[in-house]
């Protein structure tokens, strides 16, 4: 009888299909509940927020005019229209996919005719109110799609820690700064960058940012570090005591020692410029990238104003200090203006990046600048340029609250205007561990160069390429 069943046993498979569907539904429900229960309190709130966003989207999109009206009937509607009355226009609501994280929701929406990026951006404040978010940002995801980022909690007010991995960075000379005010990762590409300035009040995050760069880059054999810390007299006294073992040179606040270090690096720059074509076969080191034999040289000058201060006085000692400061400025200017193509990066940190702290002929040719909290508008403008006046929300004078320790403002390379960034803190013991395990990688870049006829360089610069010169 079964062989003669015209239905082919279709009704026999019905209960099986229903059972399978119920099993999938139950499995998905259990997975969702387990994920919800295992999440922390902040993430649970975001999960509930995402559910609410999905549930209310169709109504909200129409209220905010983020939908389109299609008056052209579909072929099926035209065939079904037998009474001759006009077909009712269709309301097209953009498709929305919502995910969540600890800070809020990330929604991806489609664009429609007449409803694009501009319309979503205009609706952002109203979306923030409806979704109960602190702020909402809308950016282009890909042609025809936008990303709507809503944060319920301000990521800038939550201090974070960074545990260095001890592995070689995947991308050369990329500095991961932290997260912006929408909890999106922010990084800066320091390839082809001759100089970077970091400003801010004491204790607001300058040295911590440099500590993170050292921790992340130290495992790479293609980078070598030199340091000058203007707030200490000896290496063991300061923030870089553990990093001395990973640096090929270091000086404190002694202007003569700093002068010798800067001369040494300028001479290295000159010799590299003379050898770059013969050794690398290119005009710029960045055409092939840094290597163990031709590493990126990073000079860190902390409390930079110590080395450039304009000493006033007519006595012999003051005149000598003034001459050293002027020469230091000239030497660092040489490194910043001419060192990019041969792989030299100078990072200058100071409290106020005004012209008396970092001479403008150095500061203004550093394409990357960050500023932690500042007390005056003058200091903010010196650190970030005149345009910061047009971005009051990102002005570093608003970062003086203790909750914003570790938060900096910067003009990012990939977007207009200014953004605020929460930089993570690297505990000293973690940094010391990285410094110890990577100490064997330290090498004097001059020792890695082939022999060169030094008579072709300036014989009057009084600089030796030997380590003793530092």
């Amino acid at each position: 009888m079964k062989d003669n069943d015209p239905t082919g046993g279709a009704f026999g498979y019905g209960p099986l299909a229903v059972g399978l569907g119920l099993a999938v539904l139950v499995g998905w429900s259990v997975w969702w509940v387990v994920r919800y229960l295992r999440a922390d309190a902040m993430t649970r709130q975001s999960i509930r927020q995402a559910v609410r966003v999905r549930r209310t989207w169709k109504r909200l999109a129409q209220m905010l005019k983020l939908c389109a009206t299609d008056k052209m009937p579909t072929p099926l509607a035209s065939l079904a229209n037998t009474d001759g009355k006009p077909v009712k226009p269709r309301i097209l609501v953009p498709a929305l996919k919502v995910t969540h994280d600890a800070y809020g929701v990330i929604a991806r929406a489609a664009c429609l005719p007449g409803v694009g990026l501009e319309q979503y951006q205009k609706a952002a404040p109203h979306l923030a109110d409806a979704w109960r978010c602190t702020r909402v940002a809308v950016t282009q995801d890909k042609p025809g799609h936008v990303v709507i980022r809503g944060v319920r909690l301000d990521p800038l007010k939550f201090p974070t820690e960074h545990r260095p991995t001890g592995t070689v960075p995947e991308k050369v000379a990329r500095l991961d700064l932290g997260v912006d005010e929408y909890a999106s990762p922010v990084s800066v590409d320091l390839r082809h960058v001759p100089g970077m300035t970091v400003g801010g009040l004491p204790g607001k995050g300058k040295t911590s940012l440099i500590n993170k760069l050292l921790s992340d880059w130290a495992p790479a054999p293609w980078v070598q570090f030199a340091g000058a810390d203007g707030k200490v007299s000896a290496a063991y006294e300061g923030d870089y005591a553990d990093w001395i073992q990973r640096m090929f040179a270091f000086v404190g606040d002694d202007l003569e020692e700093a002068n010798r270090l800067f001369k040494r690096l300028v001479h290295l720059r000159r010799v590299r410029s003379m050898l770059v074509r013969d050794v690398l076969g290119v005009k710029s080191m960045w055409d092939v990238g840094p290597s163990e034999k031709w590493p990126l040289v990073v000079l860190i000058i902390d409390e930079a104003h110590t080395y450039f201060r304009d000493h006033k006085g007519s006595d012999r000692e003051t005149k000598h200090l003034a001459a050293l400061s002027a020469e230091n400025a000239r030497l660092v200017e040489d490194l910043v203006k001419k060192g990019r193509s041969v792989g030299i990066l100078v990072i200058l940190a100071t409290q106020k990046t005004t012209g008396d702290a970092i001479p403008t002929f150095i500061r203004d040719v550093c394409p990357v600048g960050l500023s932690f909290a500042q007390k005056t508008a003058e200091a903010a403008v010196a650190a970030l340029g005149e345009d910061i006046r047009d971005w009051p929300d990102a002005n570093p004078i608003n970062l003086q609250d203790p909750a914003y320790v570790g938060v900096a403002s910067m003009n990012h390379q990939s977007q207009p205007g200014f953004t605020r960034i929460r930089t993570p803190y690297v505990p000293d013991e973690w940094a010391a561990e990285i410094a110890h395990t990577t100490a064997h990688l330290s090498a004097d870049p001059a020792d890695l160069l082939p022999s060169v006829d030094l008579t072709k360089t300036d014989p009057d610069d009084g600089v030796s390429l030997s380590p003793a010169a530092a």
Side-chain angles (χ1 to χ4, degrees), residues 165-172 215-223 438 441:
T165 63
T167 59
V168 178
E170 293 182 2
K171 294 188 177 181
V172 172
S215 299
D216 288 346
W217 288 12
W222 46 257
V223 63
T438 61
L441 296 174

Side-chain angles (χ1 to χ4, degrees), residues 284-315:
S284 171
M285 181 274 287
W286 291 111
D287 291 339
V288 294
S291 64
E292 188 171 354
K293 292 298 183 180
W294 193 292
L296 170 65
V297 177
V298 179
L299 170 62
I300 297 167
I301 308 178
D302 205 344
E303 301 298 336
H305 56 273
T306 302
Y307 307 105
F308 309 133
R309 176 186 169 192
D310 185 13
H311 294 266
K312 302 292 186 181
S314 58
D315 60 283

Side-chain angles (χ1 to χ4, degrees), residues 161-224:
E161 287 189 348
H162 172 67
R163 181 65 185 259
T165 63
T167 59
V168 178
E170 293 182 2
K171 294 188 177 181
V172 172
R174 185 186 70 179
L175 174 58
D176 294 322
L177 295 171
V179 297
D180 65 11
E181 49 203 302
Y182 296 97
S184 297
V186 178
S187 62
V188 60
D189 187 353
L190 295 179
R191 293 175 302 167
H192 301 282
V193 172
M196 171 180 172
T197 61
V198 183
L201 296 172
K204 294 300 184 180
K206 300 187 300 297
T207 303
S208 179
L209 175 65
I210 296 174
N211 199 33
K212 183 181 185 301
L213 180 147
L214 289 166
S215 299
D216 288 346
W217 288 12
W222 46 257
V223 63
Q224 297 296 338

Side-chain angles (χ1 to χ4, degrees), residues 53-54 57 94-99 106-110 146 148:
V53 167
R54 294 189 195 97
W57 172 244
L96 189 76
K97 295 182 179 180
V98 186
T99 57
I106 304 121
R108 287 176 168 79
V146 297
I148 309 171

Side-chain angles (χ1 to χ4, degrees), residues 73-197:
T74 63
L76 184 60
S78 299
L79 291 175
N81 182 23
T82 57
D83 54 8
K85 294 181 180 180
V87 177
K88 187 177 180 180
R90 294 183 301 145
I91 304 298
L92 305 179
V93 178
L96 189 76
K97 295 182 179 180
V98 186
T99 57
H100 66 272
D101 60 14
Y103 297 100
V105 294
I106 304 121
R108 287 176 168 79
C111 297
L112 296 174
V115 182
L117 177 63
E118 182 181 354
Q119 286 69 35
Y120 280 105
Q121 289 177 333
K122 287 182 178 179
H126 305 295
L127 290 171
D129 291 337
W131 292 354
R132 303 172 193 173
C133 290
T134 300
R135 62 179 75 94
V136 164
V138 182
T139 56
Q140 186 89 46
D141 184 21
K142 57 184 179 179
H145 293 80
V146 297
V147 175
I148 309 171
R149 174 52 161 153
V151 289
R152 186 183 66 261
L153 303 170
D154 188 351
L156 301 179
K157 291 187 176 181
F158 290 85
T160 57
E161 287 189 348
H162 172 67
R163 181 65 185 259
T165 63
T167 59
V168 178
E170 293 182 2
K171 294 188 177 181
V172 172
R174 185 186 70 179
L175 174 58
D176 294 322
L177 295 171
V179 297
D180 65 11
E181 49 203 302
Y182 296 97
S184 297
V186 178
S187 62
V188 60
D189 187 353
L190 295 179
R191 293 175 302 167
H192 301 282
V193 172
M196 171 180 172
T197 61

Side-chain angles (χ1 to χ4, degrees), residues 405-434:
V405 171
V407 177
S409 295
M410 75 172 296
N411 187 345
H412 198 266
Q413 300 163 317
S414 63
Q415 60 189 45
F418 294 82
T419 185
R420 295 178 296 173
I421 304 160
R422 160 61 68 180
T423 61
Y425 173 69
V426 181
D428 291 339
E429 57 271 22
W430 294 350
E433 179 183 346
I434 296 295

